[in-house]
Every structure is written in structure tokens, then in C-alpha cells.
Amino acid sequence: MRIVIADPNLMPQRATFEAALPEGSVTSWHESWNEHSVLTDLKDADVYVGPKFTAAMGAEAENLRLVHVAGAGYDGIDADVLPAGTVCANTFHHEGSIAEYIATALVVLRRNLLGQDAALRTGVWSSSVYSPDIRQPETLSGAVVTFLGFGHIGSAAWRLLQAFGAEGIAITRSGSVNPEEHGLRWTGTTDRLGEALSESDVLVVSIPLDAGTTSLIGAAELDDLGPDGQVVNVARGPVVDETALYEALKDRRIAGAAIDVWYQYPGTDGRGEPSALPFGRLDNIIMTPHSSGVTAETFRGRALEIAENITRLSTNQPLKNVVISR
């Protein structure tokens, strides 16, 4: 079994991955995805692990049987050019790390820990103990959280926030989430989004981006959340309208936000503004570089599951998480 790996996120888990492969496997590692270098390595490959698969790669990879992405998204895989008989599979394992990020961000936002830190560095003790103009902060206990999207990420985040004493509402496109099963206050479709936000303190966005969810959260929805509300977006940036979010934060029509997914992304040098708007000038936002799921735990789990699928392939067992079949 010859395996070509071209996802840099798996490099730190190389030893774990190789130890879990079937006996006799031969691996060829690329430190980053580069079409030219990968092309020269695919001719005799049985398995390719990477974020992109192009027509040129399909023409070269005559013996390929499995394309595996090291994450949930497979939009970089051109299904039409996969060799006949090849399948594509994905993997998750990021939900625990992202749930931890959501809980952490909400504690930081609700307790204004970043503001307190910045003030104390200048000698100001920014607390209601020393200033009657400062409100005592609220904890997550009793907070009502609307989850827009309740898949792997939303449900994992809810289990964690539930332990803090929060209450939950799940809004999904299908409306099929059973509230009793998950201990939620109620559930509904996106038609009830405004109603949910009107009774919520927090909005957690984890719904996939498509034509139906682009700008699903706009000015009206942020106003429904209100001046004490907080937003955490770990889905895709454009689910929340860019201008509406910036204006709501700037004008304090919502209290704060933690944004991990953006409207502009950098090149390979990792430099570039995340938005055309000056979010970085605001003091009520936590800005992170799409890193909520990037942990050793996430990629250790992914490495092991990809290795498991390769073992299944070698023994003619059904593969897990198949998303494309040719």
C-alpha cells in the first residue's frame, strides 16, 4: 500500500499515523500541498491524503483507490476527475476542540477579561469593586444560548455549556433536533431564528455556509440579540453579514463577539487582513485566525481515523465517512 500525504497539518502526527498503518505500507510526505510536486509522486499511489485534488492529479493517479481529506470539508476535491473506482472520505474530530474554544471565548467575553487585563497594565483596576459605573459581570449559569446549527460542533458545545448551567435553543434548517433528548429549552427551524435570539444572551454559529445561509445573521438578527448579547462564529465568516457585524459591535448594539472565521484569508505567507473593515480597532471582539479546531487532539484523532480507513481499504472492509464514490 503506497500512501502520498500532502497535508501539513498531519506532519506533527506523522509518527502516530505511520504506527497505525497496515504492515507493509510505504508513505511519501510533502510538507505542503503543491500540485507539481504531488503530481510526480502519484503515479503508483494507492492512497492520497490532502486538501485538493485536480484534473492533472486525476490523470496521473491511475492506481488510486482512496482520496482522504484530513478534515470535514472536501470542496477542494474535484469529484469529476477522480479515477474510476476511487472514493473520497473525510474526517472530523474537531468538535471537542471547537467546543472548548466556544466556552473559553464566552467566559472571556462575559467577564471582560481582556478589558480588565488591558486596564490593569496601565494601573487601572477595572472592576465594580473600585468603580460603581462598572456592572458586575454575568456568568454562563442561566445564560440562554442559541445554537445556529446543531451538528458535531453545536452539540459538543452544548454539552460543555450545559455543565456551566446554561440553557440552550437549537435552530437548524430541518428543525429535527429533539429538545428533550438533548436537554434543550426548545428547537426550531431558521424561520424561528428571530424568536430564539430575542430570548437569548448568546448566539453560537456553526451552520454550514451555502446560498441559503449566506448573511443569515444580519442587522435585524443582531438587534434581536440585543445590547447585552454576544456572538461566537466558528462556521464560516459570511454566515454573519460582515458590515452588519462590524456596525453592531462598533455601535454597541451587541456587547461582543468572538470571531474565528473570516471574510478574507491570507496567502501562503500567513499575512493579510481578515476583513476590509477595521475589526481590529474594536475593543469588544476576540479575533482568532480560524484556529478553534487546530489542536493536537484534533489532528491526532484525524490521523488515527485516516489510518483506520487505509487499513479497512487494505482488508476490503467498508470505509468510514465516504463522501464521494466513482
Side-chain angles (χ1 to χ4, degrees):
M1 186 77 66
R2 188 165 178 276
I3 305 151
V4 175
I5 307 100
D7 192 315
N9 292 303
L10 289 176
M11 289 294 293
Q13 304 299 328
R14 179 171 180 170
T16 297
F17 178 72
E18 292 184 341
L21 290 173
E23 187 175 350
S25 296
V26 176
T27 59
S28 178
W29 290 81
H30 296 255
E31 291 188 358
S32 63
W33 186 86
N34 176 284
E35 185 180 45
H36 177 72
S37 64
V38 171
L39 272 176
T40 62
D41 205 17
L42 278 178
K43 187 170 183 60
D44 299 319
D46 301 287
V47 178
Y48 164 72
V49 181
K52 297 179 183 180
F53 193 86
T54 65
M57 293 167 67
E60 191 69 24
E62 299 175 354
N63 298 327
L64 204 63
R65 299 165 62 195
L66 171 63
V67 170
H68 217 305
V69 292
Y74 52 95
D75 49 303
I77 308 300
D78 188 341
D80 295 332
V81 303
L82 291 176
T86 304
V87 299
C88 174
N90 68 350
T91 181
F92 295 89
H93 295 277
H94 56 299
E95 56 269 25
S97 296
I98 298 178
E100 182 179 273
Y101 170 96
I102 291 166
T104 301
L106 285 173
V107 170
V108 170
L109 286 171
R110 292 177 71 76
R111 302 288 293 273
N112 190 30
L113 299 185
L114 293 182
Q116 291 180 2
D117 174 271
L120 195 54
R121 291 172 189 271
T122 67
V124 177
W125 294 59
S126 182
S127 164
S128 61
V129 173
Y130 301 100
S131 175
D133 297 331
I134 297 175
R135 293 169 52 185
Q136 293 177 336
E138 300 286 348
T139 68
L140 280 167
S141 179
V144 180
V145 182
T146 285
F147 295 90
L148 179 56
F150 202 73
H152 287 82
I153 294 169
S155 57
W158 168 233
R159 288 192 295 272
L160 193 53
L161 295 182
Q162 199 173 18
F164 283 87
E167 297 183 52
I169 299 169
I171 297 295
T172 61
R173 283 178 283 195
S174 67
S176 61
V177 177
N178 185 317
E180 289 79 17
E181 179 184 346
H182 295 280
L184 293 158
R185 178 183 278 195
W186 59 269
T187 66
T189 66
T190 52
D191 292 340
R192 298 184 68 186
L193 179 57
E195 178 187 350
L197 294 175
S198 294
E199 62 180 87
S200 293
D201 304 290
V202 172
L203 168 63
V204 172
V205 182
S206 62
I207 198 168
L209 176 66
D210 58 28
T213 61
T214 299
S215 294
L216 184 57
I217 302 299
E221 289 72 27
L222 295 171
D223 285 341
D224 285 335
L225 190 59
D228 293 326
Q230 285 132 352
V231 175
V232 181
N233 189 2
V234 293
R236 288 293 184 268
V239 174
V240 182
D241 184 84
E242 183 176 11
T243 300
L245 176 63
Y246 175 77
E247 295 293 337
L249 287 166
K250 179 176 66 71
D251 297 340
R252 306 281 175 173
R253 299 197 334 267
I254 61 172
I259 306 300
D260 188 50
V261 287
W262 290 97
Y263 307 96
Q264 300 176 169
Y265 277 76
T268 54
D269 64 351
R271 300 190 66 84
E273 295 296 329
S275 169
L277 299 173
F279 281 94
R281 298 179 190 171
L282 303 175
D283 63 2
N284 55 347
I285 184 172
I286 298 171
M287 302 173 61
T288 51
H290 206 150
S291 59
S292 61
V294 182
T295 67
E297 180 184 42
T298 294
F299 284 98
R300 189 179 302 115
R302 289 177 176 181
L304 289 171
E305 187 163 62
I306 294 169
E308 179 188 351
N309 254 353
I310 293 171
T311 300
R312 287 171 173 264
L313 182 71
S314 71
T315 55
N316 296 312
Q317 298 180 60
L319 303 187
K320 300 168 65 175
N321 302 328
V322 172
V323 290
I324 302 170
S325 296
R326 286 281 288 168

